[in-house]
Each structure stands twice: as structure tokens, then as C-alpha cells.
Amino acid sequence: MPYMRILIIGLGNIGRTLAERLRGSGHQVIGTTTTQAKVGGLRDYVDRVDVLYGHEQDKIIEAAAGCDAIVVTVAPDAKKSATVEEREESYRQVLVNTCSNAAAVSDRVIFASSFSVYGDGKQADDAISEETPTSNHEEPSSRYYQLAEKATLTARHGCVLRLPDMYGAPGDMSYPDRVRMCHEYMGGKAIFSASAPLYCIHYLDVVRSIEHVISQDLRGIYNVCSNERIPYTNEQVFNAICDDEGMPRLEFLDHVKMPQRRISADKLYATGYRTEYEDPNTQVVERWASHKQ
């Protein structure tokens, strides 16, 4: 693969690690943050740090000058997503505006999207694939990911990676910490579905998937997850965590509908990609179940 100049919008855990690996492979990397105070700490990961928001088109144009590709790894703040009104504002601005501006200035845009675009996936016997229609168009956290995907795919080499819940990054919240956050900020309520399988992916597998897309010049939509098994449900996982940690069980609001059946990553696996990390919640649920017997 020829050396490239790549703009990464969003230097969170995924963006920083991706930048570090790309630079290690000889690519030139520009990264962005929305916080001036973070610039100094990010200079070790990229060749240049720009301070901007994704909706600031002029700044995106300036940052992307001479770049061969743009990778969008931004995500809304979970602490500002408790209500529909908060999600309506934050998801639109963070996701749609960023992807729209990226696609307007680059032919090659890669967007880290979400399985939430499938809604509950509807009832069917076959697995959910990239051809499965999106749904849950009323919920902002699903609708705006869908609109951001559409914006990304207007780029001639646009690529969307649909991702499950991510875990494992340094400083990231553990699953017990996420339960505590639900109790602290959301009154013990979780906005997702109780019966949906809790698909999750290690952040390094996400980074590897983006590297794979860049190296293979993939276009279109790809599901990114382990292709071997269906994970335990949100209710099974979080009940096990709550009981194990001595916390009250969560109330599931079912606002963010998630797929109720297997999700296929056949399309991405056919290009040579494989996940490397196992689901950390499998042992949690099975240990909890064995203690209940």
C-alpha cells in the first residue's frame, strides 16, 4: 500500500490508536480534537493536531487539504444522551454534520457506524446482513447514524463499518462502571433493549478493521463483529453484573432498539478480516449462571 496522508476526525481511543499504528506504517496522519487543552497530549500520536468540530466546514476543508482519506471516529457523549431531546441535538451535530462535511471534501471517507441502524432487525430466521433494511427511524441515535452513513456513501470511495458496543480501551469504562453510570446519570434506566444480544467488540479489533479497509480500499457497508456465535442478551449480561456487584438491576427502556438475532460478518470476513478478541461477557454470564444453580 502506498504511503498516504490521512485525516482522522476524532482522537478518542480508536482514533489515537489508529493514528499511532498508521504512522508506524509510514503514513502521515492529521488528527482533530474539540478541546484545545488536549492538543499537547495528542501530539505523540499524530503529525499535526487541529482543533475543530465536525460541523465547522471551513475548518474541515483546511484540515483535509492534501489528504488521501478521511476517517471519522467521532461518537456522541453518552452522558449527554439520556433523553430523546439530548440525543436529537448531539447525534445530529456530531455524526451527520461531520460525515457530510468529510464527504464534501474527500473521495475516500471511512465512517465508524453502529449496529443500532438495524433497530430490532425484525423477526426472521436468517441472519442480519448489510442488505437487511435499516429501521427504528424515529429514535435519534439510530436515525442519525443512518443519515451519517448515507452522507459517507456519497463519497466515491465511501466505506461504512457497522460496529457493536466497544470495550477494552485504556481508561474506558468497564461494564460494571457502565451500570453505575446508568444508576448515577439515568436513574437506573438503560435506553437499550433487554432481549437484544449484547454484541461487543474489542477496540483493537475496530482499529484493525479500519486499517483493513484502508489497505484493501474497501467501499460500501460492512458489519464488524465475531462471526462465530450469538452473544448473551443485554438482560442476561447486566443482570449478572448487577447481582455480582451488589447493585440494583437496571430497567430497560427499549428506546434504542438493537437486533434480536444473529448479525453476519460474512461480507467482511470474505475480504480476509477476522476478529481476534473473545467476548468478555461470556464468562461473566456463565459464572453467574453456575452460582445460581
Side-chain angles (χ1 to χ4, degrees):
M1 179 176 62
Y3 294 142
M4 302 171 63
R5 180 181 173 95
I6 299 170
L7 171 63
I8 300 176
I9 302 179
L11 289 176
N13 288 319
I14 299 299
R16 288 196 305 273
T17 305
L18 176 64
E20 191 171 40
R21 290 170 64 126
L22 289 173
R23 286 184 80 199
S25 298
H27 301 289
Q28 183 179 11
V29 182
I30 299 164
T32 76
T33 178
T34 60
T35 308
Q36 181 67 47
K38 293 182 178 180
V39 170
L42 295 172
R43 289 192 175 122
D44 290 339
Y45 300 93
V46 294
D47 296 286
R48 192 182 82 215
V49 184
D50 289 354
V51 180
L52 57 81
Y53 288 89
H55 64 271
E56 296 177 313
Q57 188 177 49
D58 290 346
K59 291 185 178 180
I60 294 290
I61 292 172
E62 183 178 352
C67 288
D68 301 293
I70 299 177
V71 181
V72 180
T73 66
V74 295
D77 187 345
K79 294 179 181 179
K80 297 179 182 178
S81 303
T83 68
V84 173
E85 292 75 20
E86 286 177 329
R87 295 195 294 278
E88 184 73 34
E89 174 64 22
S90 64
Y91 279 71
R92 175 184 54 77
Q93 186 174 87
V94 172
L95 300 175
V96 183
N97 291 351
T98 303
C99 290
S100 297
N101 287 332
V105 300
S106 178
D107 285 339
R108 196 173 191 186
V109 179
I110 301 163
F111 172 50
S113 186
S114 167
F115 280 175
S116 67
V117 301
Y118 291 120
D120 60 13
K122 307 300 181 185
Q123 295 299 316
D125 295 328
D126 58 333
I128 290 173
S129 74
E130 293 82 358
E131 302 301 318
T132 300
T134 59
S135 62
N136 200 20
H137 303 117
E138 295 76 24
E139 163 54 40
S141 62
S142 175
R143 182 171 78 253
Y144 288 127
Y145 266 111
Q146 294 175 47
L147 291 174
E149 288 186 357
K150 290 180 179 179
T152 299
L153 295 174
T154 62
R156 191 159 55 91
H157 292 248
C159 186
V160 169
L161 295 174
R162 289 177 174 165
L163 302 165
D165 188 55
M166 284 181 276
Y167 73 94
D172 198 6
M173 285 191 296
S174 66
Y175 279 96
D177 285 340
R178 298 180 196 200
V179 174
R180 294 185 186 95
M181 186 185 75
C182 284
H183 283 297
E184 183 176 354
Y185 291 97
M186 302 176 185
K189 296 176 171 55
I191 63 176
F192 38 80
S193 304
S195 58
L198 179 49
Y199 273 93
C200 62
I201 189 168
H202 196 280
Y203 86 106
L204 288 178
D205 278 333
V206 176
V207 172
R208 291 177 52 252
S209 72
I210 299 172
E211 289 179 302
H212 183 73
V213 166
I214 294 172
S215 67
Q216 300 296 314
D217 191 19
L218 299 184
R219 312 172 200 183
I221 301 172
Y222 295 87
N223 293 330
V224 188
C225 62
S226 171
N227 216 28
E228 280 72 45
R229 62 180 296 276
I230 301 175
Y232 289 105
T233 67
N234 285 314
E235 186 172 39
Q236 289 172 313
V237 171
F238 287 107
N239 280 355
I241 290 172
C242 288
D243 291 356
D244 191 48
E245 297 284 332
M247 292 184 284
R249 290 185 175 184
L250 298 175
E251 176 186 350
F252 297 92
L253 300 178
D254 199 27
H255 289 171
V256 179
K257 298 183 183 298
M258 299 299 290
Q260 303 287 317
R261 52 195 169 101
R262 178 177 174 267
I263 299 174
S264 170
D266 288 350
K267 182 179 177 182
L268 186 59
Y269 270 49
T271 70
Y273 172 85
R274 299 288 186 278
T275 57
E276 292 184 350
Y277 291 82
E278 295 183 358
D279 184 343
N281 294 314
T282 299
Q283 292 184 350
V284 173
V285 175
E286 292 178 353
R287 183 177 66 246
W288 169 74
S290 68
H291 290 167
K292 292 187 66 178
Q293 292 177 354

